[in-house]
Amino acid sequence: MQEKKTQEHIDWDEYFMAVAVLAAKRSKDPSTQVGACIVNQQNKILSTGYNGFPIGCSDDDFPWTKEGDFIDTKYAYVCHAELNAILNNPGTIFQNCRIYVSLFPCNECAKAIIQSGIKEVIYLSDKHAQEPYMQASRRMLRAAGVKLTKLQPQHQRLTLVLQEDLI
Ligand SMILES: O=c1[nH]c(=O)n([C@H]2C[C@H](O)[C@@H](COP(=O)(O)O)O2)cc1CO
Ligand SMILES: [Zn+2]
């Protein structure tokens, strides 16, 4: 008798969101780690990104501070996860792709998402939904016809085992 496929697998949405969440783990931001994963219509990953300082701007020299003069805070320098994902694979056509994000994109990332041709945003958290910049983001994404989908994952947790003798 033929063996059946395992029921232990994760679906595409959970897989790509998990990649976005894993990418977020690379961020050095002590307060909020954000990840993004761009996928085409054939379910192939075209790019990933996380929030971090631009190339050449060392994490040791630039501030991760939230408070104080703008020029002394991270907000002046950090490149958002979504923008990094778009820029990390230059020359790629993202037309009709979807972007998986751990946090709903801000208005600046929304502009880049729309202009790059991405047609769906799939997100985990929109905890800043009431902030004006998030309302502006939603307004632009809706006007541009970008589908907005809050992922309802079947698994709350996925465990990765990286130690050889535990696999
Ligand atoms: O769309 C986004 N993408 C993204 O990468 N971020 C990053 C920028 C900052 O490093 C961090 C937000 O920091 P905080 O929550 O401390 O204000 O998240 C933030 C947003 C939403 O504001
Ligand atoms: Zn942003």
Side-chain angles (χ1 to χ4, degrees):
M1 201 175 63
Q2 208 187 341
E3 220 178 310
K4 290 223 174 79
K5 70 180 180 187
T6 175
Q7 295 305 316
E8 290 297 302
H9 68 281
I10 53 174
D11 64 20
W12 284 119
D13 282 334
E14 283 187 322
Y15 170 52
F16 297 129
M17 187 59 83
V19 170
V21 170
L22 189 61
K25 299 271 180 215
R26 282 281 308 143
S27 175
K28 318 294 185 309
D29 191 325
S31 132
T32 308
Q33 294 175 304
V34 184
C37 176
I38 304 176
V39 177
N40 71 9
Q41 289 176 298
Q42 285 75 46
N43 285 327
K44 291 185 179 166
I45 294 174
L46 299 189
S47 195
T48 60
Y50 57 88
N51 51 326
F53 297 139
I55 293 166
C57 304
S58 163
D59 291 291
D60 300 319
D61 299 336
F62 283 76
W64 280 113
T65 323
K66 289 163 68 121
E67 317 277 335
D69 288 345
F70 177 68
I71 201 162
D72 297 323
T73 69
K74 65 180 175 182
Y75 300 110
Y77 310 105
V78 71
C79 188
H80 286 192
E82 303 88 327
L83 187 59
N84 263 335
I86 290 167
L87 298 176
N88 275 345
N89 206 345
T92 307
I93 296 166
F94 293 121
Q95 210 71 38
N96 296 318
C97 285
R98 11 195 240 287
I99 187 165
Y100 290 78
V101 287
S102 52
L103 183 64
F104 195 89
C106 73
N107 59 315
E108 293 300 330
C109 290
K111 295 173 195 174
I113 288 169
I114 293 165
Q115 296 302 71
S116 70
I118 290 171
K119 282 290 174 288
E120 185 172 5
V121 172
I122 299 156
Y123 60 95
L124 270 188
S125 164
D126 60 347
K127 60 182 176 180
H128 301 308
Q130 298 315 316
E131 300 289 341
Y133 70 94
M134 284 300 191
Q135 292 179 28
S137 172
R138 241 169 229 282
R139 183 178 176 186
M140 281 188 283
L141 290 164
R142 286 212 182 103
V146 177
K147 192 174 169 195
L148 305 176
T149 307
K150 184 170 173 56
L151 185 66
Q152 309 289 354
Q154 302 196 353
H155 300 85
Q156 265 69 50
R157 286 177 182 280
L158 292 171
T159 306
L160 294 177
V161 177
L162 298 181
Q163 193 176 320
E164 190 185 8
D165 55 5
L166 293 179
I167 295 176

